[in-house]
Structures are given as structure tokens and as C-alpha cells.
Amino acid sequence: MAKKDIEPKPVLNLDDKEYVIEDMTDYQKQILDDINNYQVQINRLSRWKEGQVHMLRQSIAAEEVEAEIDE
């Protein structure tokens, strides 16, 4: 008896349709990889931005505290 696939194959949901990634052409897989890589970069930039905003808030708060002390 042949062994059946128990786990479902990864699919891409696009325009309300499902596409089995394994069945895509190499070109389509490359585009999908590019999209995934761009999303990773976007996520990294978002976290970097959050860190920068946090540092700016801390810097402004420290200046405000220092100004209150100087008064």
C-alpha cells in the first residue's frame, strides 16, 4: 500500500483562489520568494522605526526632566 501524504501542501491564497506552491513554475516561486523577502525587510524596518521612536521619546523626556530641574 502506498504511503499517502498526511500533511497538506503549502498553498498561496491569491485573489480568492488557492494555488499549491509546489505546482508553481520556478519563475512563480522566485517571485513569491521575492515577495516574502520584501515582507521580511518591511518587518525589520518597522521594528527599527519603533526602536528609533522609542529612543526619541526617551531623549525628549530626559530633556524635559532636565529643564524642570534647571527651573
Side-chain angles (χ1 to χ4, degrees), residues 46-66:
S46 178
R47 287 190 305 271
W48 174 83
K49 178 185 173 187
E50 289 172 11
Q52 294 298 310
V53 169
H54 177 73
M55 288 176 21
L56 178 59
R57 284 186 180 125
Q58 285 184 324
S59 177
I60 290 170
E63 279 186 0
E64 289 173 346
V65 168
E66 188 174 311

Side-chain angles (χ1 to χ4, degrees), residues 21 23-33:
I21 295 173
D23 296 340
M24 292 179 161
T25 66
D26 288 343
Y27 177 70
Q28 292 166 338
K29 290 177 189 176
Q30 183 179 11
I31 293 171
L32 186 57
D33 284 343

